[in-house]
């Protein structure tokens, strides 16, 4: 029994339905009965029409619907175009726009244009209409092509696929070089409009190429859109069919054909993209506006590069000039400073020489005239007179000595009494002057109490007295801030660091002035006792090494170096060179073998190490050794550094022997 498809839906199964059984008879269907059909009405006419024209039910419905829609409205603006030859069997290669009568509009035709054109063509090419006009039956070839064209053009996807392969589209590019007289805008303007139809971004179609008067912003925006051009063009309508390849229609054959068509579409898409890229490159090369922009940018880069190089060159030249000027200025300043120091040195030497000469002349007059005493004077009186003269000569400046000598020369003719009177007057004048200086210094010390050294309460030691005598000789009258320098020298060289209360031994300028005055007024016996005490202290003062030296290879020059004895000079005068043991200085340094340094130079080195501690040169250690080298006679910086290395090696060697 053949199955039959019912043209209605069955009701839901009853509650007695059993899903376990495939068939269950609920009620039998009535048998089909034949009934006569009357030959009247639209349905009867449709049956006759389908039988006469050989149409299926679906084809007849589509044709009648199209005819009905076509007659729904009229369009007075319709422009009829020449119609191409229609071949339904070759519909894929037909021009659908020409079939629809839209060849003038093509891809710019809207949906309304397509519908209107379709209605007009249906009224003209409907098989029934043609049969009534021409008497020909089954003349539906054009109508079938019309229906296929309408189907493709009303589907957005299929229409794009067809527009991508539009046979009327010219893929050729404008020439890469323009002939004489050709305008870039006339040649490439229409080409850009033609290519813009495939742009996914509608802004590409909205912006035009423009002309030579277009602004730089317009040109840059135009080419920015085209450099990023993205085409929607596809090539499905170029696919090959099974019939053309003679395939058997199997699944493998279909897969092979699909793969082949995909590869062909990809190749065509790639070639089209390369064609557009080449088109844009040619346009940018020929566009006079782009060339002008590139020339402007190149000129700006060159100008910027030139300005940068010129600025760097000028800056380098200016830096070189400033360096040369600074070097010349420093050299000139150094030369002037050297000349000034040499002049000052010569002046000091000349001053000392003249003062020494004047003192010797006064001493000669003093000796030739019996010490300005009667011939029967006692030895003690002579010693007192000699002490007064020494104090007078030591405390007087050059101009005072010269005036004193002039007065002595004038008194020579008056005899011994006149000379003694002139001498006593000079001594009295000296005392008055010293008292005035002492009061002035005391007032100055009171005004600068914040910077003055605290007055020492401890009595003057023999070491301090000897340091005071040396300081007075090293800083003669006329020296700037003389007594401040003398006090500093006494505090540096006269302090006994081993004694208790060493901080109370600091001496102020006022104390140094007072002590100097006391020494000038001292008797011969007091001076003799002072000299004997100084000599005894120099003989007894010895450093005793009680600990073994460390194995360090360098001498720590930051520690305080013990003094080598009383009455050291500030720069190179002979001092007591008592040693603790053979090969060891009074300052505790172990001398190297085959020593080439003199005792005076070694003493100057030890004093310089104390005078310039490392803590004062933390920022520039090399400067310290330069200053130390200046304090040592006959030695340069390199020799001083080598000396310190030799002393360290000697100390290490001695420590190893022990």
């Amino acid at each position: 029994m053949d199955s039959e498809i019912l043209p209605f839906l069955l009701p839901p199964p009853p509650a007695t339905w059993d899903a376990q059984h495939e068939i269950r008879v609920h009620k039998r269907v009535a048998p089909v009965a034949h009934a006569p059909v009357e030959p009247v009405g639209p349905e009867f006419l449709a049956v006759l029409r389908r039988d006469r024209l050989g149409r299926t039910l679906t084809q007849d419905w589509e044709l009648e619907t199209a005819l009905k829609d076509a007659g729904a409205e009229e369009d007075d603006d319709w422009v009829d175009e020449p119609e191409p030859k229609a071949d339904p069997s070759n519909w894929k290669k037909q021009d659908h726009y020409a079939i629809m009568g839209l060849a003038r509009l093509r891809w710019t035709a809207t949906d309304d244009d397509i519908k209107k054109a379709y209605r007009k063509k249906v009224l003209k090419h409907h098989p029934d209409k043609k049969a009534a006009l021409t008497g020909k039956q089954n003349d539906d070839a054009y109508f079938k092509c019309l229906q296929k064209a309408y189907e493709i053009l009303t589907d957005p996807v299929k229409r794009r696929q067809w527009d991508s392969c539009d046979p009327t589209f010219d893929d050729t590019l404008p020439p890469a070089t323009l002939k004489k007289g050709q305008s870039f805008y006339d040649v490439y303007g229409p080409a850009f409009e033609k290519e813009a139809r495939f742009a996914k971004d509608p802004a590409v179609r909205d912006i035009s190429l423009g002309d030579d008067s277009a602004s730089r912003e317009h040109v840059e925006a135009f080419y920015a859109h085209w450099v990023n051009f993205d085409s929607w063009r596809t090539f499905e309508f170029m696919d090959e069919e099974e019939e053309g390849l003679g395939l058997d229609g199997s699944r493998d054959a279909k897969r092979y054909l699909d793969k082949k068509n995909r590869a062909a579409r990809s190749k065509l898409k790639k070639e089209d993209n390369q064609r557009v890229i080449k088109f844009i490159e040619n346009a940018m090369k020929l566009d006079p506006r782009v060339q002008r922009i590139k020339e402007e940018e190149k000129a700006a880069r060159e100008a910027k590069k030139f300005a940068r190089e010129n600025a760097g060159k000028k800056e380098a030249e200016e830096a070189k000039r400033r360096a040369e000027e600074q070097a010349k200025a420093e050299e000139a300043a150094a030369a002037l400073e050297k000349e000034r120091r040499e002049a000052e040195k010569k002046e000091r030497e000349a001053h000392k020489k003249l003062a020494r000469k004047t003192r010797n002349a006064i001493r000669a007059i003093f000796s030739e005239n019996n010490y300005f005493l009667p011939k029967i004077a006692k030895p003690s009186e002579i010693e007192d007179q000699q002490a007064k003269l020494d104090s007078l000569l030591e405390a007087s400046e050059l101009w005072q000595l010269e005036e004193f000598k002039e007065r002595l020369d004038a008194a020579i003719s008056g005899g011994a009494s006149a000379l003694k009177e002139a001498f006593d007057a000079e001594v009295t004048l000296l005392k008055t002057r010293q008292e005035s200086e002492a009061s002035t210094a005391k007032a100055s010390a009171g005004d600068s109490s914040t910077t003055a050294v605290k007055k020492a309460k401890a009595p003057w030691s023999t070491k301090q007295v000897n340091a005071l005598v040396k300081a007075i000789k090293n800083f003669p009258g006329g020296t700037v801030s003389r007594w401040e320098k003398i006090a500093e020298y006494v505090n540096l060289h006269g302090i006994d660091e081993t004694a208790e209360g060493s901080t109370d031994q600091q001496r102020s300028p006022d104390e140094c002035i007072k002590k100097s005055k006391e020494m000038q007024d001292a008797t011969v016996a007091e001076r003799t006792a002072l000299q004997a005490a100084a000599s005894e202290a120099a003989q007894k003062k010895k450093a005793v090494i009680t600990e073994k030296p460390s194995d360090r290879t360098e001498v720590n020059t930051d520690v305080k170096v013990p003094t080598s004895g009383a009455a050291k000079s500030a720069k190179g005068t002979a001092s007591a060179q008592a040693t603790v043991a053979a090969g060891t200085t009074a300052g505790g340094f172990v001398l190297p073998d085959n020593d080439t340094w003199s005792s005076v130079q070694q003493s100057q080195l030890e004093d310089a190490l104390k005078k310039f501690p490392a803590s004062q040169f933390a920022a520039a250690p090399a400067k310290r050794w330069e200053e130390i080298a200046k304090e040592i006679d006959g030695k340069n910086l390199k020799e001083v550094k080598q000396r310190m290395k030799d002393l360290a090696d000697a100390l290490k060697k001695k420590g190893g022997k022990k």
Side-chain angles (χ1 to χ4, degrees), residues 345-371:
K345 183 178 180 181
K346 290 180 180 180
E347 184 179 357
R348 288 195 301 271
E349 293 296 333
H351 187 277
K352 290 180 180 180
K353 184 176 181 181
L354 185 58
R356 187 165 53 252
K357 183 177 180 181
T358 305
R359 290 189 185 95
N360 292 337
I362 293 175
R363 287 192 178 94
I365 297 174
F366 183 75
S367 301
E368 293 173 356
N369 292 277
N370 197 31
Y371 311 109

PDB file of all heavy atoms in Angstrom, residues 345-371:
ATOM      1  N   LYS A 345     108.208  87.252  48.263  1.00  0.00           N
ATOM      2  CA  LYS A 345     109.352  86.539  48.822  1.00  0.00           C
ATOM      3  C   LYS A 345     110.621  87.393  48.744  1.00  0.00           C
ATOM      4  O   LYS A 345     111.397  87.481  49.716  1.00  0.00           O
ATOM      5  CB  LYS A 345     109.551  85.224  48.079  1.00  0.00           C
ATOM      6  CG  LYS A 345     110.682  84.382  48.637  1.00  0.00           C
ATOM      7  CD  LYS A 345     110.774  83.069  47.882  1.00  0.00           C
ATOM      8  CE  LYS A 345     111.913  82.206  48.430  1.00  0.00           C
ATOM      9  NZ  LYS A 345     112.033  80.925  47.695  1.00  0.00           N
ATOM     10  N   LYS A 346     110.810  88.023  47.576  1.00  0.00           N
ATOM     11  CA  LYS A 346     111.985  88.895  47.427  1.00  0.00           C
ATOM     12  C   LYS A 346     111.920  90.065  48.400  1.00  0.00           C
ATOM     13  O   LYS A 346     112.933  90.446  48.994  1.00  0.00           O
ATOM     14  CB  LYS A 346     112.067  89.405  45.996  1.00  0.00           C
ATOM     15  CG  LYS A 346     112.433  88.338  44.976  1.00  0.00           C
ATOM     16  CD  LYS A 346     112.495  88.923  43.571  1.00  0.00           C
ATOM     17  CE  LYS A 346     112.862  87.852  42.545  1.00  0.00           C
ATOM     18  NZ  LYS A 346     112.922  88.410  41.170  1.00  0.00           N
ATOM     19  N   GLU A 347     110.683  90.580  48.541  1.00  0.00           N
ATOM     20  CA  GLU A 347     110.534  91.710  49.458  1.00  0.00           C
ATOM     21  C   GLU A 347     110.830  91.281  50.892  1.00  0.00           C
ATOM     22  O   GLU A 347     111.497  92.008  51.645  1.00  0.00           O
ATOM     23  CB  GLU A 347     109.116  92.265  49.334  1.00  0.00           C
ATOM     24  CG  GLU A 347     108.880  93.510  50.185  1.00  0.00           C
ATOM     25  CD  GLU A 347     107.474  94.051  50.013  1.00  0.00           C
ATOM     26  OE1 GLU A 347     106.719  93.491  49.187  1.00  0.00           O
ATOM     27  OE2 GLU A 347     107.134  95.032  50.705  1.00  0.00           O
ATOM     28  N   ARG A 348     110.305  90.087  51.253  1.00  0.00           N
ATOM     29  CA  ARG A 348     110.588  89.607  52.609  1.00  0.00           C
ATOM     30  C   ARG A 348     112.081  89.349  52.805  1.00  0.00           C
ATOM     31  O   ARG A 348     112.644  89.688  53.864  1.00  0.00           O
ATOM     32  CB  ARG A 348     109.790  88.322  52.876  1.00  0.00           C
ATOM     33  CG  ARG A 348     108.312  88.533  53.062  1.00  0.00           C
ATOM     34  CD  ARG A 348     107.668  87.296  53.680  1.00  0.00           C
ATOM     35  NE  ARG A 348     107.858  86.113  52.872  1.00  0.00           N
ATOM     36  CZ  ARG A 348     107.044  85.725  51.901  1.00  0.00           C
ATOM     37  NH1 ARG A 348     105.957  86.436  51.637  1.00  0.00           N
ATOM     38  NH2 ARG A 348     107.284  84.615  51.208  1.00  0.00           N
ATOM     39  N   GLU A 349     112.678  88.741  51.791  1.00  0.00           N
ATOM     40  CA  GLU A 349     114.109  88.473  51.912  1.00  0.00           C
ATOM     41  C   GLU A 349     114.908  89.767  52.032  1.00  0.00           C
ATOM     42  O   GLU A 349     115.840  89.866  52.843  1.00  0.00           O
ATOM     43  CB  GLU A 349     114.587  87.666  50.704  1.00  0.00           C
ATOM     44  CG  GLU A 349     114.026  86.254  50.618  1.00  0.00           C
ATOM     45  CD  GLU A 349     114.478  85.404  51.784  1.00  0.00           C
ATOM     46  OE1 GLU A 349     115.551  85.684  52.350  1.00  0.00           O
ATOM     47  OE2 GLU A 349     113.745  84.452  52.148  1.00  0.00           O
ATOM     48  N   ALA A 350     114.514  90.740  51.180  1.00  0.00           N
ATOM     49  CA  ALA A 350     115.219  92.031  51.248  1.00  0.00           C
ATOM     50  C   ALA A 350     114.980  92.696  52.598  1.00  0.00           C
ATOM     51  O   ALA A 350     115.895  93.296  53.198  1.00  0.00           O
ATOM     52  CB  ALA A 350     114.735  92.929  50.111  1.00  0.00           C
ATOM     53  N   HIS A 351     113.709  92.565  53.074  1.00  0.00           N
ATOM     54  CA  HIS A 351     113.367  93.153  54.368  1.00  0.00           C
ATOM     55  C   HIS A 351     114.177  92.493  55.480  1.00  0.00           C
ATOM     56  O   HIS A 351     114.746  93.168  56.365  1.00  0.00           O
ATOM     57  CB  HIS A 351     111.871  92.981  54.606  1.00  0.00           C
ATOM     58  CG  HIS A 351     111.370  93.689  55.827  1.00  0.00           C
ATOM     59  ND1 HIS A 351     111.457  93.160  57.095  1.00  0.00           N
ATOM     60  CD2 HIS A 351     110.763  94.905  55.976  1.00  0.00           C
ATOM     61  CE1 HIS A 351     110.934  93.978  57.967  1.00  0.00           C
ATOM     62  NE2 HIS A 351     110.494  95.057  57.313  1.00  0.00           N
ATOM     63  N   LYS A 352     114.241  91.152  55.441  1.00  0.00           N
ATOM     64  CA  LYS A 352     115.012  90.436  56.459  1.00  0.00           C
ATOM     65  C   LYS A 352     116.505  90.773  56.378  1.00  0.00           C
ATOM     66  O   LYS A 352     117.175  90.953  57.400  1.00  0.00           O
ATOM     67  CB  LYS A 352     114.809  88.934  56.290  1.00  0.00           C
ATOM     68  CG  LYS A 352     113.414  88.446  56.648  1.00  0.00           C
ATOM     69  CD  LYS A 352     113.310  86.942  56.451  1.00  0.00           C
ATOM     70  CE  LYS A 352     111.924  86.422  56.791  1.00  0.00           C
ATOM     71  NZ  LYS A 352     111.823  84.959  56.594  1.00  0.00           N
ATOM     72  N   LYS A 353     116.952  90.841  55.123  1.00  0.00           N
ATOM     73  CA  LYS A 353     118.375  91.136  54.936  1.00  0.00           C
ATOM     74  C   LYS A 353     118.725  92.522  55.467  1.00  0.00           C
ATOM     75  O   LYS A 353     119.747  92.711  56.164  1.00  0.00           O
ATOM     76  CB  LYS A 353     118.721  91.025  53.455  1.00  0.00           C
ATOM     77  CG  LYS A 353     120.200  91.222  53.154  1.00  0.00           C
ATOM     78  CD  LYS A 353     120.456  91.003  51.677  1.00  0.00           C
ATOM     79  CE  LYS A 353     121.947  91.185  51.358  1.00  0.00           C
ATOM     80  NZ  LYS A 353     122.224  90.991  49.917  1.00  0.00           N
ATOM     81  N   LEU A 354     117.871  93.513  55.156  1.00  0.00           N
ATOM     82  CA  LEU A 354     118.128  94.871  55.628  1.00  0.00           C
ATOM     83  C   LEU A 354     118.004  94.957  57.144  1.00  0.00           C
ATOM     84  O   LEU A 354     118.802  95.640  57.816  1.00  0.00           O
ATOM     85  CB  LEU A 354     117.137  95.830  54.954  1.00  0.00           C
ATOM     86  CG  LEU A 354     117.340  97.324  55.249  1.00  0.00           C
ATOM     87  CD1 LEU A 354     118.747  97.764  54.830  1.00  0.00           C
ATOM     88  CD2 LEU A 354     116.298  98.165  54.509  1.00  0.00           C
ATOM     89  N   ALA A 355     116.968  94.210  57.676  1.00  0.00           N
ATOM     90  CA  ALA A 355     116.817  94.222  59.136  1.00  0.00           C
ATOM     91  C   ALA A 355     118.030  93.583  59.807  1.00  0.00           C
ATOM     92  O   ALA A 355     118.526  94.069  60.839  1.00  0.00           O
ATOM     93  CB  ALA A 355     115.536  93.480  59.518  1.00  0.00           C
ATOM     94  N   ARG A 356     118.483  92.460  59.218  1.00  0.00           N
ATOM     95  CA  ARG A 356     119.667  91.797  59.770  1.00  0.00           C
ATOM     96  C   ARG A 356     120.895  92.711  59.696  1.00  0.00           C
ATOM     97  O   ARG A 356     121.705  92.773  60.639  1.00  0.00           O
ATOM     98  CB  ARG A 356     119.902  90.499  59.004  1.00  0.00           C
ATOM     99  CG  ARG A 356     120.985  89.636  59.583  1.00  0.00           C
ATOM    100  CD  ARG A 356     120.936  88.208  59.028  1.00  0.00           C
ATOM    101  NE  ARG A 356     120.932  88.197  57.578  1.00  0.00           N
ATOM    102  CZ  ARG A 356     119.877  87.880  56.829  1.00  0.00           C
ATOM    103  NH1 ARG A 356     118.738  87.545  57.412  1.00  0.00           N
ATOM    104  NH2 ARG A 356     119.953  87.900  55.502  1.00  0.00           N
ATOM    105  N   LYS A 357     121.013  93.402  58.567  1.00  0.00           N
ATOM    106  CA  LYS A 357     122.152  94.322  58.401  1.00  0.00           C
ATOM    107  C   LYS A 357     122.089  95.452  59.427  1.00  0.00           C
ATOM    108  O   LYS A 357     123.108  95.836  60.026  1.00  0.00           O
ATOM    109  CB  LYS A 357     122.135  94.880  56.979  1.00  0.00           C
ATOM    110  CG  LYS A 357     123.300  95.792  56.682  1.00  0.00           C
ATOM    111  CD  LYS A 357     123.247  96.252  55.223  1.00  0.00           C
ATOM    112  CE  LYS A 357     124.410  97.182  54.908  1.00  0.00           C
ATOM    113  NZ  LYS A 357     124.364  97.659  53.501  1.00  0.00           N
ATOM    114  N   THR A 358     120.879  95.973  59.641  1.00  0.00           N
ATOM    115  CA  THR A 358     120.726  97.068  60.613  1.00  0.00           C
ATOM    116  C   THR A 358     121.027  96.578  62.021  1.00  0.00           C
ATOM    117  O   THR A 358     121.685  97.279  62.823  1.00  0.00           O
ATOM    118  CB  THR A 358     119.303  97.623  60.529  1.00  0.00           C
ATOM    119  OG1 THR A 358     119.015  98.013  59.171  1.00  0.00           O
ATOM    120  CG2 THR A 358     119.141  98.841  61.423  1.00  0.00           C
ATOM    121  N   ARG A 359     120.533  95.351  62.353  1.00  0.00           N
ATOM    122  CA  ARG A 359     120.820  94.803  63.683  1.00  0.00           C
ATOM    123  C   ARG A 359     122.315  94.612  63.877  1.00  0.00           C
ATOM    124  O   ARG A 359     122.866  94.906  64.956  1.00  0.00           O
ATOM    125  CB  ARG A 359     120.090  93.471  63.858  1.00  0.00           C
ATOM    126  CG  ARG A 359     118.571  93.583  63.965  1.00  0.00           C
ATOM    127  CD  ARG A 359     117.950  92.254  64.365  1.00  0.00           C
ATOM    128  NE  ARG A 359     116.499  92.293  64.368  1.00  0.00           N
ATOM    129  CZ  ARG A 359     115.739  91.918  63.364  1.00  0.00           C
ATOM    130  NH1 ARG A 359     116.303  91.431  62.256  1.00  0.00           N
ATOM    131  NH2 ARG A 359     114.427  92.007  63.449  1.00  0.00           N
ATOM    132  N   ASN A 360     122.976  94.091  62.851  1.00  0.00           N
ATOM    133  CA  ASN A 360     124.434  93.902  62.970  1.00  0.00           C
ATOM    134  C   ASN A 360     125.157  95.227  63.156  1.00  0.00           C
ATOM    135  O   ASN A 360     126.144  95.317  63.920  1.00  0.00           O
ATOM    136  CB  ASN A 360     124.957  93.186  61.726  1.00  0.00           C
ATOM    137  CG  ASN A 360     124.463  91.752  61.641  1.00  0.00           C
ATOM    138  OD1 ASN A 360     124.095  91.163  62.661  1.00  0.00           O
ATOM    139  ND2 ASN A 360     124.429  91.189  60.444  1.00  0.00           N
ATOM    140  N   ALA A 361     124.664  96.266  62.441  1.00  0.00           N
ATOM    141  CA  ALA A 361     125.297  97.592  62.595  1.00  0.00           C
ATOM    142  C   ALA A 361     125.110  98.116  64.014  1.00  0.00           C
ATOM    143  O   ALA A 361     126.041  98.695  64.626  1.00  0.00           O
ATOM    144  CB  ALA A 361     124.705  98.556  61.579  1.00  0.00           C
ATOM    145  N   ILE A 362     123.866  97.911  64.561  1.00  0.00           N
ATOM    146  CA  ILE A 362     123.602  98.369  65.938  1.00  0.00           C
ATOM    147  C   ILE A 362     124.472  97.587  66.919  1.00  0.00           C
ATOM    148  O   ILE A 362     125.031  98.154  67.877  1.00  0.00           O
ATOM    149  CB  ILE A 362     122.113  98.219  66.254  1.00  0.00           C
ATOM    150  CG1 ILE A 362     121.282  99.184  65.388  1.00  0.00           C
ATOM    151  CG2 ILE A 362     121.850  98.470  67.728  1.00  0.00           C
ATOM    152  CD1 ILE A 362     119.788  99.021  65.539  1.00  0.00           C
ATOM    153  N   ARG A 363     124.569  96.234  66.688  1.00  0.00           N
ATOM    154  CA  ARG A 363     125.415  95.439  67.573  1.00  0.00           C
ATOM    155  C   ARG A 363     126.885  95.881  67.490  1.00  0.00           C
ATOM    156  O   ARG A 363     127.621  95.846  68.493  1.00  0.00           O
ATOM    157  CB  ARG A 363     125.285  93.956  67.210  1.00  0.00           C
ATOM    158  CG  ARG A 363     123.952  93.331  67.621  1.00  0.00           C
ATOM    159  CD  ARG A 363     124.017  91.817  67.510  1.00  0.00           C
ATOM    160  NE  ARG A 363     122.777  91.179  67.932  1.00  0.00           N
ATOM    161  CZ  ARG A 363     121.792  90.832  67.135  1.00  0.00           C
ATOM    162  NH1 ARG A 363     121.923  91.049  65.824  1.00  0.00           N
ATOM    163  NH2 ARG A 363     120.691  90.273  67.617  1.00  0.00           N
ATOM    164  N   ALA A 364     127.306  96.254  66.289  1.00  0.00           N
ATOM    165  CA  ALA A 364     128.695  96.724  66.148  1.00  0.00           C
ATOM    166  C   ALA A 364     128.925  98.000  66.954  1.00  0.00           C
ATOM    167  O   ALA A 364     129.941  98.142  67.663  1.00  0.00           O
ATOM    168  CB  ALA A 364     129.015  96.955  64.669  1.00  0.00           C
ATOM    169  N   ILE A 365     127.963  98.956  66.834  1.00  0.00           N
ATOM    170  CA  ILE A 365     128.082 100.188  67.635  1.00  0.00           C
ATOM    171  C   ILE A 365     128.042  99.851  69.109  1.00  0.00           C
ATOM    172  O   ILE A 365     128.784 100.432  69.927  1.00  0.00           O
ATOM    173  CB  ILE A 365     126.944 101.156  67.254  1.00  0.00           C
ATOM    174  CG1 ILE A 365     127.074 101.580  65.783  1.00  0.00           C
ATOM    175  CG2 ILE A 365     126.936 102.373  68.166  1.00  0.00           C
ATOM    176  CD1 ILE A 365     125.908 102.413  65.292  1.00  0.00           C
ATOM    177  N   PHE A 366     127.156  98.870  69.450  1.00  0.00           N
ATOM    178  CA  PHE A 366     127.024  98.459  70.844  1.00  0.00           C
ATOM    179  C   PHE A 366     128.337  97.872  71.366  1.00  0.00           C
ATOM    180  O   PHE A 366     128.764  98.173  72.495  1.00  0.00           O
ATOM    181  CB  PHE A 366     125.886  97.428  70.929  1.00  0.00           C
ATOM    182  CG  PHE A 366     125.590  96.964  72.330  1.00  0.00           C
ATOM    183  CD1 PHE A 366     124.911  97.773  73.243  1.00  0.00           C
ATOM    184  CD2 PHE A 366     125.984  95.698  72.755  1.00  0.00           C
ATOM    185  CE1 PHE A 366     124.631  97.320  74.522  1.00  0.00           C
ATOM    186  CE2 PHE A 366     125.714  95.257  74.031  1.00  0.00           C
ATOM    187  CZ  PHE A 366     125.027  96.076  74.923  1.00  0.00           C
ATOM    188  N   SER A 367     128.993  97.031  70.577  1.00  0.00           N
ATOM    189  CA  SER A 367     130.248  96.402  71.013  1.00  0.00           C
ATOM    190  C   SER A 367     131.390  97.406  71.042  1.00  0.00           C
ATOM    191  O   SER A 367     132.240  97.407  71.952  1.00  0.00           O
ATOM    192  CB  SER A 367     130.601  95.244  70.079  1.00  0.00           C
ATOM    193  OG  SER A 367     129.565  94.281  70.076  1.00  0.00           O
ATOM    194  N   GLU A 368     131.451  98.293  70.036  1.00  0.00           N
ATOM    195  CA  GLU A 368     132.551  99.264  69.954  1.00  0.00           C
ATOM    196  C   GLU A 368     132.484 100.297  71.060  1.00  0.00           C
ATOM    197  O   GLU A 368     133.521 100.886  71.421  1.00  0.00           O
ATOM    198  CB  GLU A 368     132.508  99.948  68.595  1.00  0.00           C
ATOM    199  CG  GLU A 368     132.831  98.999  67.440  1.00  0.00           C
ATOM    200  CD  GLU A 368     132.615  99.664  66.103  1.00  0.00           C
ATOM    201  OE1 GLU A 368     132.146 100.832  66.097  1.00  0.00           O
ATOM    202  OE2 GLU A 368     132.871  99.023  65.052  1.00  0.00           O
ATOM    203  N   ASN A 369     131.322 100.536  71.606  1.00  0.00           N
ATOM    204  CA  ASN A 369     131.169 101.558  72.642  1.00  0.00           C
ATOM    205  C   ASN A 369     130.903 100.940  74.006  1.00  0.00           C
ATOM    206  O   ASN A 369     130.160 101.502  74.818  1.00  0.00           O
ATOM    207  CB  ASN A 369     130.027 102.506  72.272  1.00  0.00           C
ATOM    208  CG  ASN A 369     130.352 103.343  71.062  1.00  0.00           C
ATOM    209  OD1 ASN A 369     131.018 104.374  71.158  1.00  0.00           O
ATOM    210  ND2 ASN A 369     129.906 102.872  69.885  1.00  0.00           N
ATOM    211  N   ASN A 370     131.547  99.797  74.275  1.00  0.00           N
ATOM    212  CA  ASN A 370     131.558  99.175  75.602  1.00  0.00           C
ATOM    213  C   ASN A 370     130.141  98.919  76.119  1.00  0.00           C
ATOM    214  O   ASN A 370     129.868  99.135  77.310  1.00  0.00           O
ATOM    215  CB  ASN A 370     132.347 100.032  76.601  1.00  0.00           C
ATOM    216  CG  ASN A 370     132.734  99.222  77.845  1.00  0.00           C
ATOM    217  OD1 ASN A 370     132.940  98.010  77.752  1.00  0.00           O
ATOM    218  ND2 ASN A 370     132.788  99.889  78.991  1.00  0.00           N
ATOM    219  N   TYR A 371     129.264  98.474  75.224  1.00  0.00           N
ATOM    220  CA  TYR A 371     127.905  98.080  75.606  1.00  0.00           C
ATOM    221  C   TYR A 371     127.103  99.226  76.206  1.00  0.00           C
ATOM    222  O   TYR A 371     126.179  99.027  76.987  1.00  0.00           O
ATOM    223  CB  TYR A 371     127.942  96.923  76.598  1.00  0.00           C
ATOM    224  CG  TYR A 371     128.834  95.789  76.154  1.00  0.00           C
ATOM    225  CD1 TYR A 371     130.047  95.555  76.804  1.00  0.00           C
ATOM    226  CD2 TYR A 371     128.470  94.984  75.072  1.00  0.00           C
ATOM    227  CE1 TYR A 371     130.884  94.530  76.384  1.00  0.00           C
ATOM    228  CE2 TYR A 371     129.315  93.957  74.665  1.00  0.00           C
ATOM    229  CZ  TYR A 371     130.511  93.729  75.302  1.00  0.00           C
ATOM    230  OH  TYR A 371     131.336  92.737  74.878  1.00  0.00           O
TER     231      TYR A 371
END
